[in-house]
Every structure is written in structure tokens, then in C-alpha cells.
Amino acid sequence: FCSKIKGKTILITGASFGIGEAIAKELAKCEVNLILVARTKEKLELLKKAIENNGQAKVDFFLCRFV
């Protein structure tokens, strides 16, 4: 599976909790570029650090909040 997605850019919504967070961690093992979107900045920052500290993937994130 990883050989098919290695180097790809993947967008994950709801990435700060639950299934979104779990998927981000699993896909990071495949050396992809992740774009994480969620409402909780602190959780996104922690997830980004955890993934990048393992040298697994490049991570960018964006906040999505309703006003």
C-alpha cells in the first residue's frame, strides 16, 4: 500500500481527534505529505510535532472554525 502513495499529498479533515488523527498517524508511515484540517490548533500542533519528530512525513495544517 505505501509504495502506491509514497510522496503523495493527502488532505485529512477532522484530523485532531478520533479516526482523522488515527488515519494521519498511519498514513505518515508511508512518507507522504499531509495537510491536516481541524478546529483545535493545539491538537494539530501536537500531531504535527509527533509525526515530524519521527521523520515520517511532512505536515502542514489549517484551522477551520465556524464564526
Side-chain angles (χ1 to χ4, degrees):
F1 174 76
C2 284
S3 63
K4 293 182 180 186
I5 65 170
K6 184 177 179 177
K8 301 284 185 182
T9 299
I10 300 170
L11 173 71
I12 301 172
T13 60
S16 60
F17 292 98
I19 294 170
E21 180 181 11
I23 289 172
K25 289 177 179 177
E26 284 301 310
L27 290 175
K29 296 174 185 176
C30 295
E31 299 177 39
V32 297
N33 300 310
L34 295 174
I35 301 172
L36 308 178
V37 179
R39 295 178 290 167
T40 310
K41 181 181 179 181
E42 294 78 17
K43 283 284 289 179
L44 287 172
E45 289 172 338
L46 289 173
L47 183 56
K48 175 183 169 116
K49 277 186 188 178
I51 290 171
E52 288 186 338
N53 284 344
N54 288 330
Q56 297 172 319
K58 180 182 177 294
V59 178
D60 290 304
F61 69 84
F62 295 92
L63 294 179
C64 182
R65 296 187 183 171
F66 295 102
V67 206

